[in-house]
Amino acid sequence: MKKSSLAVSSVLLALAATLVPASAHAGNPSVVVTSEGDCLEFGEITQITVAEARELVPSRYKVREADGTPGKVNVYMGDYSCSGISVNGGRAKPTMITMATVEISHRDGVEQPWGTTQPLWWGTNQPALTNAVQRLGAPARHVQATRSITPMANGMRLVHNKYTGSNVDHERFAVVEDISSEPVQNFHTPVGYYTGTKGEIQFVYDMQFRAKEQAANSILVSGRDTDLVHKYGFPITLTSKNTLMTGKWTMRAELKR
């Protein structure tokens, strides 16, 4: 898979949960989140300046400049909905998540692998997930969210996702292809980082997904006064033909302090 596709893949699953490495110590607070039903995921990329990114990311992390556009940093946004997500082994519930990340090139002066991320925001309509991540010291946002899917001709579907609240209000309208014949890919992300109110959270993901570039014709409409527009560089209306992903994942986040 091309590097650009992997970037979108890691971002689309990034913020929903911070994943705990297999070597995590039992004494550290952690969250384990598992999608137990197939997820439908969309991704967008916009850019902000390095100076703007530094205002959003703690100084111990150095943001990675975008290829081909010096002085700019990619912001990866993902919306996804799953038929079932469980938190710490609890009962799986239908869940929608919206999130965004930037890539980190260095942590405490040490170079990090490609794909290392720092969350900018994430929000979900499942209160148990919001509360679990907030207990680690991360600013999870609770949002109201709805999804509708309308069948169309030739196996196409019209998807309408709507998120409201916590200053990330937006809607997505997308006509998507059937990608069920695409091969399943397995991807394990490098450790990502977030410094919250209680210390540093480290996260990883194990993902199994199908993906196809340019399989979703999407219109993203953001609220005029939201953080998406004023902090994260998104226009009010963004039309794009982007990667569609469907799949499952397990994520774990651990507070390292």
Side-chain angles (χ1 to χ4, degrees):
M1 193 174 186
K2 291 191 297 186
K3 180 177 178 180
S4 60
S5 300
L6 288 176
V8 174
S9 302
S10 55
V11 167
L12 292 184
L13 289 170
L15 260 157
T18 17
L19 314 180
V20 124
S23 61
H25 298 291
N28 289 346
S30 64
V31 175
V32 179
V33 183
T34 302
S35 74
E36 299 180 1
D38 208 39
C39 298
L40 182 66
E41 306 157 24
F42 300 92
E44 238 84 46
I45 301 176
T46 188
Q47 291 185 330
I48 56 178
T49 67
V50 170
E52 289 171 329
R54 285 174 178 158
E55 292 294 318
L56 301 171
V57 176
S59 59
R60 68 182 301 185
Y61 310 119
K62 181 180 178 181
V63 295
R64 188 182 301 278
E65 293 191 32
D67 291 341
T69 52
K72 296 285 189 176
V73 174
N74 287 334
V75 176
Y76 300 95
M77 176 183 177
D79 287 342
Y80 55 104
S81 56
C82 301
S83 57
I85 285 183
S86 65
V87 180
N88 293 333
R91 183 170 64 88
K93 300 178 181 179
T95 301
M96 295 179 67
I97 295 168
T98 179
M99 39 64 78
T101 62
V102 292
E103 286 187 83
I104 300 299
S105 64
H106 292 75
R107 171 179 174 268
D108 296 336
V110 178
E111 187 173 359
Q112 300 297 303
W114 175 86
T116 301
T117 59
Q118 151 81 42
L120 295 181
W121 93 76
W122 78 262
T124 176
N125 65 341
Q126 187 184 144
L129 181 52
T130 305
N131 295 339
V133 175
Q134 286 178 344
R135 283 195 294 269
L136 298 184
R141 307 186 191 204
H142 182 69
V143 299
Q144 302 296 320
T146 59
R147 181 185 77 170
S148 65
I149 300 178
T150 305
M152 301 176 66
N154 301 320
M156 306 289 279
R157 294 179 292 171
L158 172 64
V159 180
H160 176 211
N161 290 347
K162 184 175 182 179
Y163 299 84
T164 56
S166 295
N167 218 25
V168 291
D169 303 61
H170 64 278
E171 292 185 73
R172 182 186 301 279
F173 304 87
V175 175
V176 304
E177 298 179 21
D178 179 2
I179 64 170
S180 59
S181 62
E182 295 295 319
V184 175
Q185 303 179 55
N186 295 288
F187 186 56
H188 182 78
T189 69
V191 176
Y193 304 97
Y194 183 85
T195 298
T197 57
K198 298 180 180 180
E200 185 180 64
I201 302 165
Q202 298 184 8
F203 56 92
V204 295
Y205 325 71
D206 287 304
M207 300 153 40
Q208 300 83 41
F209 61 91
R210 292 181 170 90
K212 184 177 180 180
E213 294 184 353
Q214 299 189 344
N217 288 287
S218 175
I219 301 175
L220 177 69
V221 182
S222 300
R224 184 178 301 274
D225 298 321
T226 61
D227 286 347
L228 279 71
V229 173
H230 293 286
K231 291 179 67 174
Y232 306 124
F234 284 86
I236 293 174
T237 302
L238 177 61
T239 302
S240 61
K241 193 173 180 69
N242 52 32
T243 298
L244 174 67
M245 295 176 57
T246 63
K248 300 179 181 181
W249 38 263
T250 297
M251 11 184 248
R252 304 172 180 87
E254 182 181 11
L255 177 61
K256 292 290 190 176
R257 301 192 190 277

